[in-house]
Amino acid sequence: MPRRKKPVPAVRDSTTIVFATNRHRLSDGFWEEADIAPGTIQRLWLGRARIGWVGDPMETESGRQLLEAAEISGEDDFADPVAGSNARVLDAWLADAAARGAVPLFYIHGFGNGFGDALQRAAQIEEFYDGEKLALAPLVFSWPSDGRVLDPQLFAADAGVKAQYLDDQRDAMNSAPALARLLREVWRARQRAAGGTGTPPRLVLLAHSMGNLALASGLAAMNNGLLTRELAGLFAQAVLASADLPNTCFEPGQPMRLLPLIADQVTVCISHDCTLSVASQFANGNKRLGHYGPARLDLVPEGVEVVDYFLGLDAGSRDRILAKGGTEWDVVQHQWYRNDLKARAALTALFQGKPPPHKPLDALLRVEAGRCRHAILE
């Protein structure tokens, strides 16, 4: 009797990304610019989109295409926060993650990302970390960045570049009411997923670059009735990568000081970001958290660890990225959290709740060249 051949597993060619956005809707998509007035209560749209899967987590700069128009199934703006169409999208997100054994990831993208860019970046992150044997189920919050790629080296020479950067900053800050509402509704969905007396699913948060400004603004908006003790532990881990925030943002009275109220652990991952650190000083007149770390470690709240990833990054990753046309300032200095293999492995441990390869520093070594950190990446 002939032996049966083992079935060949199907090659994965796509992934489905869940999204929430406060952009203006344009038929089956969204307009790039929002022109949000400060304090405006923006409508939230939720849905899913199928994105191409390259099949090689080493292909860090290969584009992942939007394969078809997004399914904008969450249209009730949380009018019914328990059983409405928006709530059902969140419930399905968590149910799918549980069925796959995946970690639900709340992801906030940085500047220069249109709606399609945000979906593709979330798909990249899922595929990159899949290469680390970590299954992620991303929910991306797409705030209305204009999606225009900037060269920060032109800030001093081109006022238009600076104006575009500042316009994205305003959009990130003015997304505060939408993000505050969304975080509260994610908490409701997590409670529903617990099934009454069950254990709520373990969620993690990742904010990159200017997404940290949106997060800080959202926390400030929540701190007016939405930020209650019951939200404690909403996220098991919050990772702030290349944060585009002033290095005083964790000091008393500043909004990021609120983050430990909803995240059990907060890891601020810093690295040399020489071009954008200069751009931040030129545009905002402050030192960038993602480059320098906090101004004073003694004012950082409990539950927040600042880790310098720079010395621990893999030189081989840098050479591989540059050989494929990547830019030093962007994909090496700024996108290390997804491009560098050692960084991926360390963040995988954080997302899984395992001890990361972080080496605590003695007090005398925590400040160096104006940069402050508790630990370094080994």
Side-chain angles (χ1 to χ4, degrees):
M1 188 172 178
R3 297 176 63 184
R4 291 184 179 179
K5 293 182 179 180
K6 292 183 179 180
V8 178
V11 177
R12 185 174 182 182
D13 63 357
S14 67
T15 186
T16 298
I17 297 297
V18 181
F19 66 82
T21 185
N22 59 323
R23 294 175 181 271
H24 294 325
R25 185 168 178 175
L26 183 66
S27 184
D28 292 330
F30 298 92
W31 185 240
E32 63 174 2
E33 298 186 22
D35 296 326
I36 301 171
T40 302
I41 305 302
Q42 308 119 34
R43 186 183 184 100
L44 280 165
W45 305 93
L46 273 68
R48 306 169 187 81
R50 197 161 66 91
I51 309 295
W53 191 266
V54 172
D56 184 356
M58 296 292 284
E59 288 290 338
T60 60
E61 296 311 304
S62 295
R64 274 79 175 160
Q65 290 186 322
L66 180 63
L67 300 181
E68 55 202 23
E71 174 194 326
I72 309 172
S73 53
E75 301 180 303
D76 79 328
D77 195 35
F78 290 109
D80 181 346
V82 176
S85 60
N86 278 19
R88 290 198 300 270
V89 172
L90 294 182
D91 290 344
W93 166 53
L94 294 179
D96 173 69
R100 296 193 293 115
V103 177
L105 170 70
F106 190 100
Y107 171 60
I108 312 175
H109 63 79
F111 80 95
N113 281 259
F115 176 69
D117 301 324
L119 295 175
Q120 293 167 32
R121 182 52 51 85
Q124 284 180 324
I125 291 170
E126 183 184 356
E127 185 165 1
F128 296 166
Y129 283 89
D130 184 75
E132 298 296 327
K133 310 303 181 187
L134 170 65
L136 292 174
L139 164 62
V140 56
F141 174 62
S142 180
W143 55 274
S145 163
D146 293 344
R148 298 173 191 168
V149 178
L150 308 179
D151 185 349
Q153 295 175 336
L154 300 178
F155 266 50
D158 183 357
V161 173
K162 178 181 176 182
Q164 182 60 44
Y165 175 81
L166 294 176
D167 187 55
D168 260 19
Q169 280 196 326
R170 283 189 293 273
D171 287 338
M173 290 186 290
N174 292 341
S175 296
L179 182 52
R181 292 174 58 215
L182 179 60
L183 288 170
R184 183 72 182 188
E185 298 308 328
V186 167
W187 172 79
R188 287 190 212 270
R190 182 173 180 262
Q191 298 303 110
R192 291 194 297 271
T197 59
T199 302
R202 183 179 183 277
L203 274 60
V204 297
L205 180 149
L206 171 62
H208 177 241
S209 188
M210 201 176 284
N212 287 274
L213 179 60
L215 176 60
S217 303
L219 289 169
M222 292 184 78
N223 196 29
N224 194 30
L226 290 180
L227 193 60
T228 60
R229 183 179 296 178
E230 60 192 351
L231 267 69
L234 172 59
F235 298 107
Q237 174 68 246
V239 172
L240 314 183
S242 301
D244 186 4
L245 286 170
N247 67 343
T248 56
C249 64
F250 280 103
E251 295 183 8
Q254 298 302 308
M256 289 304 275
R257 199 172 181 85
L258 303 170
L259 185 55
L261 299 181
I262 64 170
D264 290 337
Q265 293 181 303
V266 178
T267 305
V268 181
C269 301
I270 69 173
S271 184
H272 277 273
D273 203 342
C274 299
T275 304
L276 286 177
S277 67
V278 173
S280 292
Q281 286 182 289
F282 184 79
N284 304 314
N286 58 43
K287 290 187 175 181
R288 187 184 181 100
L289 177 68
H291 177 84
Y292 289 98
R296 290 180 55 180
L297 288 174
D298 62 316
L299 295 180
V300 173
E302 187 177 352
V304 177
E305 182 182 39
V306 182
V307 186
D308 190 345
Y309 271 49
F310 178 66
L311 294 178
L313 297 180
D314 178 27
S317 292
R318 175 185 179 277
D319 295 341
R320 170 178 52 81
I321 296 164
L322 294 180
K324 296 195 174 187
T327 60
E328 175 80 42
W329 74 266
D330 186 16
V331 301
V332 176
Q333 293 188 25
H334 194 54
Q335 301 286 348
W336 53 266
Y337 77 102
R338 64 182 183 87
N339 286 341
D340 187 89
L341 297 183
K342 287 185 67 177
R344 283 192 209 175
L347 295 185
T348 293
L350 287 174
F351 291 148
Q352 291 175 325
K354 298 178 180 178
H358 295 165
K359 179 182 178 181
L361 294 174
D362 294 335
L364 293 176
L365 299 176
R366 290 184 173 184
V367 179
E368 181 183 29
R371 303 172 75 243
C372 299
R373 62 276 167 97
H374 295 114
I376 59 173
L377 175 65
E378 287 193 297

